[in-house]
Amino acid sequence: MSNLVNNETVPQTDAPFSLKPLMFETFVCTMALMAFAALAAPIARVIGLEAWQLGTAMTVAGVAWVVMARFWGKLSDRNGRRPVMLFGLAGFVISYALLALFIDFAMQTAMVQGLAFVGIVIGRGIAGVFYAAVPATSAALVADHISPKQRAAAMAGIGASSAAGMVIGPSFVGLIGPYSLSIPLYITAVLPAIALIVIWRVLPKREHHVKPDGNSLKLNDMRLRWPVIVAFVATFSVAVAQITVGFFALDRLLLEPANTARTAGVALAIVGVTLIVAQIILRKLDWQPRRLIKCGGIIAAAGFSCTIFASTPLVLWFSYGVAGFGMGWVFPSVSALAANSVEAHEQGAAAGTISAAQGLGVVVGPIVGTGVYSIDIGLPYGLIAVMLLLAICWRPLK
């Protein structure tokens, strides 16, 4: 039986499957992660950590995500989505809460710098290990319950929730951070715990996925090569754009540090808003994932290309907005394409593979982006524009 026939057969649940719990979970987890990222620099300054130590802690979490994503996805194929998602989310809640407590203790007690560094690295790493289960099992759940024609729209709903978290997380920190660095950490630690309770109560207890047949999905499976490449390039591009925007505002726009922070923050907020808008529009379109990836990739490449010539904040914001809109079509479509490319019993492994590719982009992007930026200010944006165009045009050899 063909992949299409297998994927079209979506079992009926005892109760209608709802995306809302997954959207809420994605929103609060993304908000917690983005809030931590926004707090990282001032926390490091209070504790006395260097920039490279902060970067190491962030990288360790990304590496843990890459290493564990396929493991969690394949485990959910064998043992079920619900137990794996609940276990991973519970682990993330506990590890994030302990990390918040440790950081607060380090700030209040003038902890030895080396001990604080090791503690944050371990805490971020453990949180990354458990968080890797969340996106992988979420995508697999959507594939289990949503027909192939509707998967891109469903993934867009989850993606819009993630984008909302990206916008609200830093904004929340910006409001509370001047008064306390600890309070935002504790509040964002509580939110995933609420999501855990919601998921535990409403996630279907009856599994609707096909058990593996003993043949494990390989990492280099031909069916997933294009989705994996696009997933990596897309996340790599966003990571490069995030890490370089502040430097670009300083060096090309010649802004003062205070105005630089504002300009960079507005640019990233616009990306979050346009991601949401693009994914809302996507849900109303009757386009297949391949078409959405091509159109979104072209739009994003155009936006990044325009950034090269930005000489004012307005042009920078417009360019990032265009790029964000394009990426809003690419991200959910890649997940949907991967799900549509494999058999029903491989959905968890496929979702984990895509999640691992995205995690790798998060890890590699900042390193390459800052390195290329040191050669030429506009080069990172030209690089990611070309990579996006090559990725959406590439086809694996049969």
Side-chain angles (χ1 to χ4, degrees):
M1 186 176 291
S2 67
N3 289 341
L4 181 58
V5 173
N6 284 339
N7 278 303
E8 287 285 4
T9 305
V10 179
Q12 297 297 315
T13 58
D14 298 333
F17 176 72
S18 175
L19 283 175
K20 291 179 181 178
L22 296 182
M23 292 171 67
F24 176 70
E25 169 208 50
T26 301
F27 168 73
V28 297
C29 287
T30 304
M31 182 177 173
L33 292 173
M34 293 304 296
F36 181 89
L39 287 169
I43 286 174
R45 182 62 56 86
V46 172
I47 297 176
L49 298 180
E50 301 292 335
W52 70 266
Q53 293 174 310
L54 177 62
T56 299
M58 303 296 282
T59 300
V60 165
V63 171
W65 179 7
V66 173
V67 172
M68 295 300 296
R70 270 178 57 86
F71 167 81
W72 291 119
K74 293 170 69 174
L75 188 65
S76 75
D77 283 337
R78 296 195 304 269
N79 298 343
R81 316 296 186 210
R82 178 184 170 90
V84 172
M85 175 172 284
L86 289 176
F87 183 79
L89 188 54
F92 176 70
V93 168
I94 295 171
S95 58
Y96 190 94
L98 291 176
L99 178 61
L101 287 169
F102 178 82
I103 290 174
D104 190 25
F105 181 75
M107 289 191 295
Q108 299 298 330
T109 60
M111 184 180 292
V112 176
Q113 180 180 338
L115 180 59
F117 169 60
V118 172
I120 292 175
V121 167
I122 293 175
R124 285 283 296 176
I126 295 174
V129 165
F130 287 108
Y131 178 75
V134 176
T137 50
S138 295
L141 267 169
V142 171
D144 289 343
H145 293 86
I146 306 295
S147 66
K149 292 182 179 179
Q150 301 300 320
R151 280 175 187 159
M155 297 292 185
I158 295 177
S161 301
S162 177
M166 290 173 59
V167 175
I168 296 176
S171 300
F172 169 72
V173 170
L175 291 174
I176 307 297
Y179 303 98
S180 171
L181 295 178
S182 303
I183 292 176
L185 276 176
Y186 289 128
I187 293 178
T188 54
V190 169
L191 291 176
I194 297 174
L196 175 62
I197 296 172
V198 171
I199 292 293
W200 175 73
R201 289 182 61 88
V202 305
L203 200 67
K205 296 181 180 179
R206 183 177 177 182
E207 293 292 336
H208 292 278
H209 73 280
V210 179
K211 294 289 185 179
D213 61 1
N215 296 320
S216 177
L217 183 73
K218 295 182 179 179
L219 186 60
N220 63 343
D221 191 292
M222 183 67 70
R223 295 169 296 172
L224 291 182
R225 285 191 181 179
W226 190 49
V228 164
I229 287 175
V230 175
F232 167 75
V233 172
T235 314
F236 174 90
S237 299
V238 170
V240 170
Q242 286 177 331
I243 198 68
T244 56
V245 63
F247 295 109
F248 187 90
L250 278 171
D251 300 330
R252 174 62 62 82
L253 306 185
L254 303 177
L255 300 178
E256 296 296 327
N259 288 332
T260 293
R262 172 180 172 274
T263 300
V266 170
L268 296 178
I270 288 174
V271 169
V273 171
T274 53
L275 277 169
I276 296 172
V277 172
Q279 290 165 349
I280 291 174
I281 294 175
L282 185 155
R283 300 193 72 181
K284 300 181 182 298
L285 295 176
D286 189 24
W287 291 5
Q288 291 303 303
R290 289 183 181 275
R291 184 180 182 185
L292 288 164
I293 289 172
K294 288 182 178 180
C295 293
I298 291 172
I299 293 171
F304 289 129
S305 297
C306 289
T307 306
I308 300 173
F309 307 101
S311 57
T312 67
L314 284 177
V315 177
L316 177 66
W317 296 338
F318 172 80
S319 302
Y320 265 61
V322 172
F325 186 94
M327 301 311 290
W329 282 5
V330 172
F331 281 120
S333 302
V334 167
S335 296
L337 179 61
N340 293 353
S341 299
V342 301
E343 302 289 342
H345 64 274
E346 300 170 313
Q347 292 298 336
T353 301
I354 296 299
S355 184
Q358 293 171 335
L360 185 61
V362 171
V363 173
V364 177
I367 298 172
V368 175
T370 51
V372 173
Y373 183 88
S374 65
I375 300 173
D376 182 83
I377 294 175
L379 191 56
Y381 303 102
L383 172 66
I384 56 181
V386 171
M387 288 179 65
L388 278 170
L389 292 176
L390 290 176
I392 65 174
C393 294
W394 183 82
R395 285 291 183 274
L397 297 176
K398 299 296 184 182

